[in-house]
PDB file of all heavy atoms in Angstrom:
ATOM      1  N   GLY B   1      -1.562  -5.028  -2.452  1.00  0.00           N
ATOM      2  CA  GLY B   1      -2.385  -4.339  -1.448  1.00  0.00           C
ATOM      3  C   GLY B   1      -1.929  -2.959  -1.177  1.00  0.00           C
ATOM      4  O   GLY B   1      -2.491  -2.263  -0.284  1.00  0.00           O
ATOM      5  N   TRP B   2      -0.945  -2.418  -1.936  1.00  0.00           N
ATOM      6  CA  TRP B   2      -0.474  -1.069  -1.680  1.00  0.00           C
ATOM      7  C   TRP B   2      -1.168  -0.146  -2.694  1.00  0.00           C
ATOM      8  O   TRP B   2      -1.717  -0.616  -3.693  1.00  0.00           O
ATOM      9  CB  TRP B   2       1.030  -0.930  -1.888  1.00  0.00           C
ATOM     10  CG  TRP B   2       1.840  -1.612  -0.804  1.00  0.00           C
ATOM     11  CD1 TRP B   2       1.814  -2.895  -0.373  1.00  0.00           C
ATOM     12  CD2 TRP B   2       2.784  -0.962   0.038  1.00  0.00           C
ATOM     13  NE1 TRP B   2       2.664  -3.146   0.622  1.00  0.00           N
ATOM     14  CE2 TRP B   2       3.259  -1.940   0.964  1.00  0.00           C
ATOM     15  CE3 TRP B   2       3.201   0.357   0.193  1.00  0.00           C
ATOM     16  CZ2 TRP B   2       4.207  -1.660   1.951  1.00  0.00           C
ATOM     17  CZ3 TRP B   2       4.192   0.647   1.156  1.00  0.00           C
ATOM     18  CH2 TRP B   2       4.654  -0.359   2.039  1.00  0.00           C
ATOM     19  N   ALA B   3      -1.148   1.153  -2.410  1.00  0.00           N
ATOM     20  CA  ALA B   3      -1.802   2.104  -3.303  1.00  0.00           C
ATOM     21  C   ALA B   3      -0.970   3.379  -3.454  1.00  0.00           C
ATOM     22  O   ALA B   3      -0.332   3.807  -2.482  1.00  0.00           O
ATOM     23  CB  ALA B   3      -3.209   2.513  -2.724  1.00  0.00           C
ATOM     24  N   TRP B   4      -0.977   3.872  -4.680  1.00  0.00           N
ATOM     25  CA  TRP B   4      -0.304   5.190  -4.924  1.00  0.00           C
ATOM     26  C   TRP B   4      -1.310   6.249  -4.501  1.00  0.00           C
ATOM     27  O   TRP B   4      -2.485   6.202  -4.855  1.00  0.00           O
ATOM     28  CB  TRP B   4      -0.035   5.338  -6.425  1.00  0.00           C
ATOM     29  CG  TRP B   4       1.083   4.461  -6.912  1.00  0.00           C
ATOM     30  CD1 TRP B   4       0.942   3.368  -7.719  1.00  0.00           C
ATOM     31  CD2 TRP B   4       2.480   4.631  -6.679  1.00  0.00           C
ATOM     32  NE1 TRP B   4       2.167   2.810  -7.932  1.00  0.00           N
ATOM     33  CE2 TRP B   4       3.120   3.636  -7.308  1.00  0.00           C
ATOM     34  CE3 TRP B   4       3.225   5.536  -5.975  1.00  0.00           C
ATOM     35  CZ2 TRP B   4       4.507   3.482  -7.306  1.00  0.00           C
ATOM     36  CZ3 TRP B   4       4.599   5.421  -5.928  1.00  0.00           C
ATOM     37  CH2 TRP B   4       5.248   4.426  -6.588  1.00  0.00           C
ATOM     38  N   THR B   5      -0.855   7.180  -3.669  1.00  0.00           N
ATOM     39  CA  THR B   5      -1.751   8.225  -3.151  1.00  0.00           C
ATOM     40  C   THR B   5      -1.178   9.578  -3.565  1.00  0.00           C
ATOM     41  O   THR B   5       0.000   9.845  -3.333  1.00  0.00           O
ATOM     42  CB  THR B   5      -1.834   8.135  -1.603  1.00  0.00           C
ATOM     43  OG1 THR B   5      -2.253   6.844  -1.231  1.00  0.00           O
ATOM     44  CG2 THR B   5      -2.773   9.164  -1.067  1.00  0.00           C
ATOM     45  N   VAL B   6      -2.008  10.424  -4.098  1.00  0.00           N
ATOM     46  CA  VAL B   6      -1.595  11.750  -4.521  1.00  0.00           C
ATOM     47  C   VAL B   6      -2.578  12.787  -3.876  1.00  0.00           C
ATOM     48  O   VAL B   6      -3.767  12.644  -4.015  1.00  0.00           O
ATOM     49  CB  VAL B   6      -1.622  11.907  -6.041  1.00  0.00           C
ATOM     50  CG1 VAL B   6      -1.205  13.297  -6.479  1.00  0.00           C
ATOM     51  CG2 VAL B   6      -0.779  10.895  -6.740  1.00  0.00           C
ATOM     52  N   SER B   7      -2.000  13.683  -3.179  1.00  0.00           N
ATOM     53  CA  SER B   7      -2.803  14.768  -2.570  1.00  0.00           C
ATOM     54  C   SER B   7      -2.679  16.029  -3.411  1.00  0.00           C
ATOM     55  O   SER B   7      -1.572  16.409  -3.724  1.00  0.00           O
ATOM     56  CB  SER B   7      -2.296  15.060  -1.119  1.00  0.00           C
ATOM     57  OG  SER B   7      -2.434  13.934  -0.315  1.00  0.00           O
ATOM     58  N   LEU B   8      -3.829  16.578  -3.726  1.00  0.00           N
ATOM     59  CA  LEU B   8      -3.916  17.786  -4.544  1.00  0.00           C
ATOM     60  C   LEU B   8      -4.526  18.925  -3.765  1.00  0.00           C
ATOM     61  O   LEU B   8      -5.382  18.703  -2.928  1.00  0.00           O
ATOM     62  CB  LEU B   8      -4.736  17.520  -5.788  1.00  0.00           C
ATOM     63  CG  LEU B   8      -4.324  16.308  -6.682  1.00  0.00           C
ATOM     64  CD1 LEU B   8      -5.394  16.065  -7.727  1.00  0.00           C
ATOM     65  CD2 LEU B   8      -2.980  16.558  -7.288  1.00  0.00           C
ATOM     66  N   ALA B   9      -4.064  20.166  -4.018  1.00  0.00           N
ATOM     67  CA  ALA B   9      -4.700  21.298  -3.447  1.00  0.00           C
ATOM     68  C   ALA B   9      -5.651  21.935  -4.486  1.00  0.00           C
ATOM     69  O   ALA B   9      -5.252  22.209  -5.605  1.00  0.00           O
ATOM     70  CB  ALA B   9      -3.621  22.341  -3.022  1.00  0.00           C
ATOM     71  N   GLN B  10      -6.871  22.140  -4.049  1.00  0.00           N
ATOM     72  CA  GLN B  10      -7.856  22.735  -4.981  1.00  0.00           C
ATOM     73  C   GLN B  10      -8.373  24.001  -4.359  1.00  0.00           C
ATOM     74  O   GLN B  10      -9.176  24.033  -3.374  1.00  0.00           O
ATOM     75  CB  GLN B  10      -9.048  21.784  -5.167  1.00  0.00           C
ATOM     76  CG  GLN B  10     -10.152  22.355  -6.039  1.00  0.00           C
ATOM     77  CD  GLN B  10      -9.707  22.562  -7.453  1.00  0.00           C
ATOM     78  OE1 GLN B  10      -9.224  21.635  -8.143  1.00  0.00           O
ATOM     79  NE2 GLN B  10      -9.755  23.790  -7.950  1.00  0.00           N
ATOM     80  N   VAL B  11      -7.806  25.164  -4.815  1.00  0.00           N
ATOM     81  CA  VAL B  11      -8.169  26.470  -4.344  1.00  0.00           C
ATOM     82  C   VAL B  11      -9.186  27.030  -5.333  1.00  0.00           C
ATOM     83  O   VAL B  11      -9.004  26.936  -6.569  1.00  0.00           O
ATOM     84  CB  VAL B  11      -6.934  27.411  -4.230  1.00  0.00           C
ATOM     85  CG1 VAL B  11      -7.370  28.788  -3.758  1.00  0.00           C
ATOM     86  CG2 VAL B  11      -5.946  26.822  -3.296  1.00  0.00           C
ATOM     87  N   GLU B  12     -10.235  27.650  -4.822  1.00  0.00           N
ATOM     88  CA  GLU B  12     -11.335  28.171  -5.669  1.00  0.00           C
ATOM     89  C   GLU B  12     -10.773  29.150  -6.657  1.00  0.00           C
ATOM     90  O   GLU B  12     -10.107  30.107  -6.297  1.00  0.00           O
ATOM     91  CB  GLU B  12     -12.408  28.816  -4.783  1.00  0.00           C
ATOM     92  CG  GLU B  12     -13.731  29.008  -5.535  1.00  0.00           C
ATOM     93  CD  GLU B  12     -14.818  29.465  -4.588  1.00  0.00           C
ATOM     94  OE1 GLU B  12     -14.961  28.859  -3.492  1.00  0.00           O
ATOM     95  OE2 GLU B  12     -15.487  30.416  -4.933  1.00  0.00           O
ATOM     96  N   GLY B  13     -11.092  28.986  -7.930  1.00  0.00           N
ATOM     97  CA  GLY B  13     -10.719  29.908  -8.950  1.00  0.00           C
ATOM     98  C   GLY B  13      -9.284  29.616  -9.516  1.00  0.00           C
ATOM     99  O   GLY B  13      -8.881  30.292 -10.439  1.00  0.00           O
ATOM    100  N   GLU B  14      -8.579  28.642  -9.001  1.00  0.00           N
ATOM    101  CA  GLU B  14      -7.204  28.307  -9.383  1.00  0.00           C
ATOM    102  C   GLU B  14      -7.207  26.825  -9.918  1.00  0.00           C
ATOM    103  O   GLU B  14      -8.000  25.990  -9.550  1.00  0.00           O
ATOM    104  CB  GLU B  14      -6.205  28.448  -8.259  1.00  0.00           C
ATOM    105  CG  GLU B  14      -6.120  29.828  -7.779  1.00  0.00           C
ATOM    106  CD  GLU B  14      -5.458  30.796  -8.744  1.00  0.00           C
ATOM    107  OE1 GLU B  14      -4.574  30.351  -9.468  1.00  0.00           O
ATOM    108  OE2 GLU B  14      -5.783  31.963  -8.761  1.00  0.00           O
ATOM    109  N   ALA B  15      -6.193  26.523 -10.698  1.00  0.00           N
ATOM    110  CA  ALA B  15      -5.969  25.106 -11.157  1.00  0.00           C
ATOM    111  C   ALA B  15      -5.441  24.342  -9.958  1.00  0.00           C
ATOM    112  O   ALA B  15      -4.720  24.814  -9.161  1.00  0.00           O
ATOM    113  CB  ALA B  15      -4.991  25.101 -12.286  1.00  0.00           C
ATOM    114  N   PRO B  16      -5.814  23.049  -9.866  1.00  0.00           N
ATOM    115  CA  PRO B  16      -5.297  22.224  -8.777  1.00  0.00           C
ATOM    116  C   PRO B  16      -3.796  22.014  -8.911  1.00  0.00           C
ATOM    117  O   PRO B  16      -3.231  21.961 -10.037  1.00  0.00           O
ATOM    118  CB  PRO B  16      -6.062  20.905  -8.908  1.00  0.00           C
ATOM    119  CG  PRO B  16      -6.559  20.885 -10.309  1.00  0.00           C
ATOM    120  CD  PRO B  16      -6.708  22.298 -10.773  1.00  0.00           C
ATOM    121  N   THR B  17      -3.150  21.935  -7.751  1.00  0.00           N
ATOM    122  CA  THR B  17      -1.685  21.666  -7.708  1.00  0.00           C
ATOM    123  C   THR B  17      -1.397  20.452  -6.812  1.00  0.00           C
ATOM    124  O   THR B  17      -2.177  20.076  -5.976  1.00  0.00           O
ATOM    125  CB  THR B  17      -0.955  22.851  -7.171  1.00  0.00           C
ATOM    126  OG1 THR B  17      -1.393  23.075  -5.826  1.00  0.00           O
ATOM    127  CG2 THR B  17      -1.120  24.100  -7.992  1.00  0.00           C
ATOM    128  N   VAL B  18      -0.270  19.775  -7.081  1.00  0.00           N
ATOM    129  CA  VAL B  18       0.124  18.566  -6.368  1.00  0.00           C
ATOM    130  C   VAL B  18       0.864  18.984  -5.076  1.00  0.00           C
ATOM    131  O   VAL B  18       1.766  19.792  -5.061  1.00  0.00           O
ATOM    132  CB  VAL B  18       1.108  17.732  -7.229  1.00  0.00           C
ATOM    133  CG1 VAL B  18       1.557  16.524  -6.483  1.00  0.00           C
ATOM    134  CG2 VAL B  18       0.426  17.377  -8.537  1.00  0.00           C
ATOM    135  N   LEU B  19       0.326  18.374  -3.994  1.00  0.00           N
ATOM    136  CA  LEU B  19       0.957  18.624  -2.730  1.00  0.00           C
ATOM    137  C   LEU B  19       2.007  17.479  -2.442  1.00  0.00           C
ATOM    138  O   LEU B  19       3.153  17.799  -2.066  1.00  0.00           O
ATOM    139  CB  LEU B  19      -0.070  18.597  -1.576  1.00  0.00           C
ATOM    140  CG  LEU B  19      -1.106  19.716  -1.612  1.00  0.00           C
ATOM    141  CD1 LEU B  19      -2.178  19.501  -0.536  1.00  0.00           C
ATOM    142  CD2 LEU B  19      -0.407  21.066  -1.393  1.00  0.00           C
ATOM    143  N   GLU B  20       1.626  16.262  -2.561  1.00  0.00           N
ATOM    144  CA  GLU B  20       2.504  15.138  -2.401  1.00  0.00           C
ATOM    145  C   GLU B  20       1.985  13.883  -3.122  1.00  0.00           C
ATOM    146  O   GLU B  20       0.852  13.766  -3.380  1.00  0.00           O
ATOM    147  CB  GLU B  20       2.730  14.810  -0.880  1.00  0.00           C
ATOM    148  CG  GLU B  20       1.484  14.337  -0.164  1.00  0.00           C
ATOM    149  CD  GLU B  20       1.705  14.108   1.314  1.00  0.00           C
ATOM    150  OE1 GLU B  20       2.806  14.317   1.772  1.00  0.00           O
ATOM    151  OE2 GLU B  20       0.817  13.717   1.965  1.00  0.00           O
ATOM    152  N   ALA B  21       2.971  12.990  -3.376  1.00  0.00           N
ATOM    153  CA  ALA B  21       2.668  11.702  -3.991  1.00  0.00           C
ATOM    154  C   ALA B  21       3.457  10.658  -3.331  1.00  0.00           C
ATOM    155  O   ALA B  21       4.683  10.852  -3.052  1.00  0.00           O
ATOM    156  CB  ALA B  21       3.004  11.758  -5.492  1.00  0.00           C
ATOM    157  N   GLU B  22       2.829   9.542  -2.977  1.00  0.00           N
ATOM    158  CA  GLU B  22       3.532   8.468  -2.225  1.00  0.00           C
ATOM    159  C   GLU B  22       2.922   7.102  -2.419  1.00  0.00           C
ATOM    160  O   GLU B  22       1.761   7.045  -2.895  1.00  0.00           O
ATOM    161  CB  GLU B  22       3.542   8.806  -0.746  1.00  0.00           C
ATOM    162  CG  GLU B  22       2.178   9.035  -0.155  1.00  0.00           C
ATOM    163  CD  GLU B  22       2.221   9.693   1.219  1.00  0.00           C
ATOM    164  OE1 GLU B  22       3.278   9.784   1.807  1.00  0.00           O
ATOM    165  OE2 GLU B  22       1.168  10.106   1.674  1.00  0.00           O
ATOM    166  N   LEU B  23       3.650   6.071  -2.074  1.00  0.00           N
ATOM    167  CA  LEU B  23       3.098   4.726  -2.085  1.00  0.00           C
ATOM    168  C   LEU B  23       2.803   4.334  -0.683  1.00  0.00           C
ATOM    169  O   LEU B  23       3.641   4.375   0.253  1.00  0.00           O
ATOM    170  CB  LEU B  23       4.191   3.785  -2.636  1.00  0.00           C
ATOM    171  CG  LEU B  23       3.827   2.365  -2.800  1.00  0.00           C
ATOM    172  CD1 LEU B  23       2.636   2.169  -3.790  1.00  0.00           C
ATOM    173  CD2 LEU B  23       5.042   1.575  -3.326  1.00  0.00           C
ATOM    174  N   MET B  24       1.513   4.003  -0.399  1.00  0.00           N
ATOM    175  CA  MET B  24       1.033   3.778   0.960  1.00  0.00           C
ATOM    176  C   MET B  24       0.509   2.293   1.019  1.00  0.00           C
ATOM    177  O   MET B  24      -0.135   1.854   0.102  1.00  0.00           O
ATOM    178  CB  MET B  24      -0.049   4.706   1.352  1.00  0.00           C
ATOM    179  CG  MET B  24       0.363   6.152   1.392  1.00  0.00           C
ATOM    180  SD  MET B  24       1.456   6.493   2.760  1.00  0.00           S
ATOM    181  CE  MET B  24       0.387   6.212   4.133  1.00  0.00           C
ATOM    182  N   PRO B  25       0.722   1.571   2.150  1.00  0.00           N
ATOM    183  CA  PRO B  25       0.167   0.261   2.325  1.00  0.00           C
ATOM    184  C   PRO B  25      -1.332   0.326   2.550  1.00  0.00           C
ATOM    185  O   PRO B  25      -1.827   1.212   3.218  1.00  0.00           O
ATOM    186  CB  PRO B  25       0.900  -0.283   3.556  1.00  0.00           C
ATOM    187  CG  PRO B  25       1.319   0.938   4.308  1.00  0.00           C
ATOM    188  CD  PRO B  25       1.561   2.004   3.309  1.00  0.00           C
ATOM    189  N   GLY B  26      -2.019  -0.639   1.996  1.00  0.00           N
ATOM    190  CA  GLY B  26      -3.440  -0.736   2.195  1.00  0.00           C
ATOM    191  C   GLY B  26      -3.704  -1.669   3.415  1.00  0.00           C
ATOM    192  O   GLY B  26      -2.804  -2.077   4.120  1.00  0.00           O
ATOM    193  N   ASP B  27      -4.993  -1.873   3.676  1.00  0.00           N
ATOM    194  CA  ASP B  27      -5.399  -2.712   4.807  1.00  0.00           C
ATOM    195  C   ASP B  27      -4.839  -4.125   4.628  1.00  0.00           C
ATOM    196  O   ASP B  27      -5.042  -4.766   3.575  1.00  0.00           O
ATOM    197  CB  ASP B  27      -6.878  -2.819   4.934  1.00  0.00           C
ATOM    198  CG  ASP B  27      -7.512  -1.467   5.272  1.00  0.00           C
ATOM    199  OD1 ASP B  27      -6.788  -0.639   5.871  1.00  0.00           O
ATOM    200  OD2 ASP B  27      -8.679  -1.250   5.009  1.00  0.00           O
ATOM    201  N   GLY B  28      -4.046  -4.628   5.570  1.00  0.00           N
ATOM    202  CA  GLY B  28      -3.514  -5.972   5.512  1.00  0.00           C
ATOM    203  C   GLY B  28      -2.272  -6.128   4.669  1.00  0.00           C
ATOM    204  O   GLY B  28      -1.729  -7.212   4.592  1.00  0.00           O
ATOM    205  N   ALA B  29      -1.802  -5.014   4.002  1.00  0.00           N
ATOM    206  CA  ALA B  29      -0.637  -5.144   3.142  1.00  0.00           C
ATOM    207  C   ALA B  29       0.696  -5.439   3.965  1.00  0.00           C
ATOM    208  O   ALA B  29       1.562  -6.011   3.429  1.00  0.00           O
ATOM    209  CB  ALA B  29      -0.448  -3.872   2.334  1.00  0.00           C
ATOM    210  N   LEU B  30       0.717  -5.050   5.194  1.00  0.00           N
ATOM    211  CA  LEU B  30       1.945  -5.190   6.019  1.00  0.00           C
ATOM    212  C   LEU B  30       1.869  -6.488   6.866  1.00  0.00           C
ATOM    213  O   LEU B  30       2.796  -6.721   7.640  1.00  0.00           O
ATOM    214  CB  LEU B  30       2.182  -3.975   6.856  1.00  0.00           C
ATOM    215  CG  LEU B  30       2.415  -2.682   6.082  1.00  0.00           C
ATOM    216  CD1 LEU B  30       2.590  -1.560   7.062  1.00  0.00           C
ATOM    217  CD2 LEU B  30       3.631  -2.837   5.209  1.00  0.00           C
ATOM    218  N   LEU B  31       0.821  -7.256   6.754  1.00  0.00           N
ATOM    219  CA  LEU B  31       0.662  -8.421   7.526  1.00  0.00           C
ATOM    220  C   LEU B  31       1.338  -9.609   6.841  1.00  0.00           C
ATOM    221  O   LEU B  31       1.342  -9.731   5.631  1.00  0.00           O
ATOM    222  CB  LEU B  31      -0.822  -8.772   7.758  1.00  0.00           C
ATOM    223  CG  LEU B  31      -1.663  -7.748   8.564  1.00  0.00           C
ATOM    224  CD1 LEU B  31      -3.077  -8.204   8.613  1.00  0.00           C
ATOM    225  CD2 LEU B  31      -1.071  -7.592   9.953  1.00  0.00           C
ATOM    226  N   ALA B  32       1.959 -10.463   7.643  1.00  0.00           N
ATOM    227  CA  ALA B  32       2.584 -11.662   7.129  1.00  0.00           C
ATOM    228  C   ALA B  32       1.554 -12.590   6.560  1.00  0.00           C
ATOM    229  O   ALA B  32       0.434 -12.647   7.067  1.00  0.00           O
ATOM    230  CB  ALA B  32       3.399 -12.360   8.243  1.00  0.00           C
ATOM    231  N   PRO B  33       1.871 -13.352   5.508  1.00  0.00           N
ATOM    232  CA  PRO B  33       0.914 -14.355   5.031  1.00  0.00           C
ATOM    233  C   PRO B  33       0.638 -15.407   6.025  1.00  0.00           C
ATOM    234  O   PRO B  33       1.407 -15.613   6.990  1.00  0.00           O
ATOM    235  CB  PRO B  33       1.589 -14.902   3.782  1.00  0.00           C
ATOM    236  CG  PRO B  33       3.038 -14.593   3.926  1.00  0.00           C
ATOM    237  CD  PRO B  33       3.145 -13.386   4.813  1.00  0.00           C
ATOM    238  N   ASP B  34      -0.430 -16.183   5.877  1.00  0.00           N
ATOM    239  CA  ASP B  34      -0.792 -17.230   6.789  1.00  0.00           C
ATOM    240  C   ASP B  34       0.342 -18.290   6.816  1.00  0.00           C
ATOM    241  O   ASP B  34       1.000 -18.514   5.827  1.00  0.00           O
ATOM    242  CB  ASP B  34      -2.078 -17.974   6.316  1.00  0.00           C
ATOM    243  CG  ASP B  34      -3.268 -17.035   6.472  1.00  0.00           C
ATOM    244  OD1 ASP B  34      -3.208 -16.135   7.310  1.00  0.00           O
ATOM    245  OD2 ASP B  34      -4.262 -17.260   5.790  1.00  0.00           O
ATOM    246  N   TRP B  35       0.526 -18.814   7.998  1.00  0.00           N
ATOM    247  CA  TRP B  35       1.603 -19.790   8.224  1.00  0.00           C
ATOM    248  C   TRP B  35       1.267 -21.090   7.548  1.00  0.00           C
ATOM    249  O   TRP B  35       0.116 -21.556   7.630  1.00  0.00           O
ATOM    250  CB  TRP B  35       1.785 -20.032   9.738  1.00  0.00           C
ATOM    251  CG  TRP B  35       2.895 -20.952  10.013  1.00  0.00           C
ATOM    252  CD1 TRP B  35       4.203 -20.709   9.973  1.00  0.00           C
ATOM    253  CD2 TRP B  35       2.761 -22.333  10.399  1.00  0.00           C
ATOM    254  NE1 TRP B  35       4.932 -21.834  10.296  1.00  0.00           N
ATOM    255  CE2 TRP B  35       4.053 -22.854  10.575  1.00  0.00           C
ATOM    256  CE3 TRP B  35       1.697 -23.171  10.625  1.00  0.00           C
ATOM    257  CZ2 TRP B  35       4.306 -24.142  10.949  1.00  0.00           C
ATOM    258  CZ3 TRP B  35       1.959 -24.495  11.008  1.00  0.00           C
ATOM    259  CH2 TRP B  35       3.226 -24.956  11.189  1.00  0.00           C
ATOM    260  N   VAL B  36       2.241 -21.660   6.882  1.00  0.00           N
ATOM    261  CA  VAL B  36       2.096 -22.958   6.164  1.00  0.00           C
ATOM    262  C   VAL B  36       3.106 -23.894   6.817  1.00  0.00           C
ATOM    263  O   VAL B  36       4.285 -23.596   6.907  1.00  0.00           O
ATOM    264  CB  VAL B  36       2.365 -22.806   4.655  1.00  0.00           C
ATOM    265  CG1 VAL B  36       2.238 -24.148   3.942  1.00  0.00           C
ATOM    266  CG2 VAL B  36       1.382 -21.841   4.054  1.00  0.00           C
ATOM    267  N   PRO B  37       2.628 -25.050   7.274  1.00  0.00           N
ATOM    268  CA  PRO B  37       3.588 -26.046   7.879  1.00  0.00           C
ATOM    269  C   PRO B  37       4.728 -26.413   6.932  1.00  0.00           C
ATOM    270  O   PRO B  37       4.582 -26.439   5.698  1.00  0.00           O
ATOM    271  CB  PRO B  37       2.707 -27.256   8.155  1.00  0.00           C
ATOM    272  CG  PRO B  37       1.335 -26.730   8.174  1.00  0.00           C
ATOM    273  CD  PRO B  37       1.264 -25.580   7.262  1.00  0.00           C
ATOM    274  N   TRP B  38       5.903 -26.704   7.514  1.00  0.00           N
ATOM    275  CA  TRP B  38       7.041 -27.037   6.743  1.00  0.00           C
ATOM    276  C   TRP B  38       6.841 -28.240   5.808  1.00  0.00           C
ATOM    277  O   TRP B  38       7.295 -28.228   4.674  1.00  0.00           O
ATOM    278  CB  TRP B  38       8.202 -27.316   7.684  1.00  0.00           C
ATOM    279  CG  TRP B  38       9.403 -27.899   6.954  1.00  0.00           C
ATOM    280  CD1 TRP B  38       9.928 -29.145   7.132  1.00  0.00           C
ATOM    281  CD2 TRP B  38      10.239 -27.251   6.037  1.00  0.00           C
ATOM    282  NE1 TRP B  38      11.013 -29.351   6.313  1.00  0.00           N
ATOM    283  CE2 TRP B  38      11.230 -28.194   5.617  1.00  0.00           C
ATOM    284  CE3 TRP B  38      10.235 -26.020   5.465  1.00  0.00           C
ATOM    285  CZ2 TRP B  38      12.201 -27.857   4.672  1.00  0.00           C
ATOM    286  CZ3 TRP B  38      11.202 -25.684   4.500  1.00  0.00           C
ATOM    287  CH2 TRP B  38      12.169 -26.632   4.150  1.00  0.00           C
ATOM    288  N   SER B  39       6.078 -29.210   6.234  1.00  0.00           N
ATOM    289  CA  SER B  39       5.871 -30.415   5.430  1.00  0.00           C
ATOM    290  C   SER B  39       5.146 -30.042   4.100  1.00  0.00           C
ATOM    291  O   SER B  39       5.484 -30.543   3.088  1.00  0.00           O
ATOM    292  CB  SER B  39       5.065 -31.440   6.217  1.00  0.00           C
ATOM    293  OG  SER B  39       3.823 -30.933   6.611  1.00  0.00           O
ATOM    294  N   GLU B  40       4.217 -29.070   4.209  1.00  0.00           N
ATOM    295  CA  GLU B  40       3.514 -28.686   3.011  1.00  0.00           C
ATOM    296  C   GLU B  40       4.430 -27.825   2.089  1.00  0.00           C
ATOM    297  O   GLU B  40       4.413 -27.954   0.834  1.00  0.00           O
ATOM    298  CB  GLU B  40       2.253 -27.868   3.343  1.00  0.00           C
ATOM    299  CG  GLU B  40       1.157 -28.676   4.019  1.00  0.00           C
ATOM    300  CD  GLU B  40       0.003 -27.819   4.402  1.00  0.00           C
ATOM    301  OE1 GLU B  40      -0.288 -26.788   3.724  1.00  0.00           O
ATOM    302  OE2 GLU B  40      -0.720 -28.244   5.351  1.00  0.00           O
ATOM    303  N   ARG B  41       5.219 -26.959   2.681  1.00  0.00           N
ATOM    304  CA  ARG B  41       6.173 -26.131   1.894  1.00  0.00           C
ATOM    305  C   ARG B  41       7.166 -27.027   1.190  1.00  0.00           C
ATOM    306  O   ARG B  41       7.570 -26.817   0.046  1.00  0.00           O
ATOM    307  CB  ARG B  41       6.826 -25.098   2.755  1.00  0.00           C
ATOM    308  CG  ARG B  41       5.913 -23.973   3.129  1.00  0.00           C
ATOM    309  CD  ARG B  41       6.628 -22.951   3.955  1.00  0.00           C
ATOM    310  NE  ARG B  41       6.785 -23.444   5.321  1.00  0.00           N
ATOM    311  CZ  ARG B  41       7.712 -22.994   6.169  1.00  0.00           C
ATOM    312  NH1 ARG B  41       8.509 -22.075   5.814  1.00  0.00           N
ATOM    313  NH2 ARG B  41       7.778 -23.521   7.398  1.00  0.00           N
ATOM    314  N   LEU B  42       7.632 -28.065   1.927  1.00  0.00           N
ATOM    315  CA  LEU B  42       8.634 -28.973   1.391  1.00  0.00           C
ATOM    316  C   LEU B  42       8.026 -29.767   0.233  1.00  0.00           C
ATOM    317  O   LEU B  42       8.656 -30.006  -0.816  1.00  0.00           O
ATOM    318  CB  LEU B  42       9.138 -29.900   2.437  1.00  0.00           C
ATOM    319  CG  LEU B  42      10.203 -30.909   2.007  1.00  0.00           C
ATOM    320  CD1 LEU B  42      11.426 -30.174   1.499  1.00  0.00           C
ATOM    321  CD2 LEU B  42      10.613 -31.847   3.161  1.00  0.00           C
ATOM    322  N   ALA B  43       6.769 -30.219   0.371  1.00  0.00           N
ATOM    323  CA  ALA B  43       6.124 -30.972  -0.694  1.00  0.00           C
ATOM    324  C   ALA B  43       5.945 -30.063  -1.929  1.00  0.00           C
ATOM    325  O   ALA B  43       6.215 -30.534  -3.078  1.00  0.00           O
ATOM    326  CB  ALA B  43       4.766 -31.475  -0.239  1.00  0.00           C
TER     327      ALA B  43
END
């Protein structure tokens, strides 16, 4: 659920340049998974 994000600067008449590159969480990527009862995990 994470995404690599790259921001580029596009100035008219010039080649684009890289401003920043990072790994960002997507929607729900930082949420814990649904709870599973111990008996099911043990099984």
Side-chain angles (χ1 to χ4, degrees):
W2 289 61
W4 290 106
T5 304
V6 180
S7 297
L8 306 171
Q10 179 66 56
V11 178
E12 194 172 315
E14 298 290 327
T17 58
V18 177
L19 296 174
E20 64 183 0
E22 58 194 346
L23 183 62
M24 298 290 294
D27 295 336
L30 298 178
L31 297 176
D34 291 335
W35 182 76
V36 177
W38 170 247
S39 59
E40 290 178 28
R41 288 183 283 159
L42 182 60

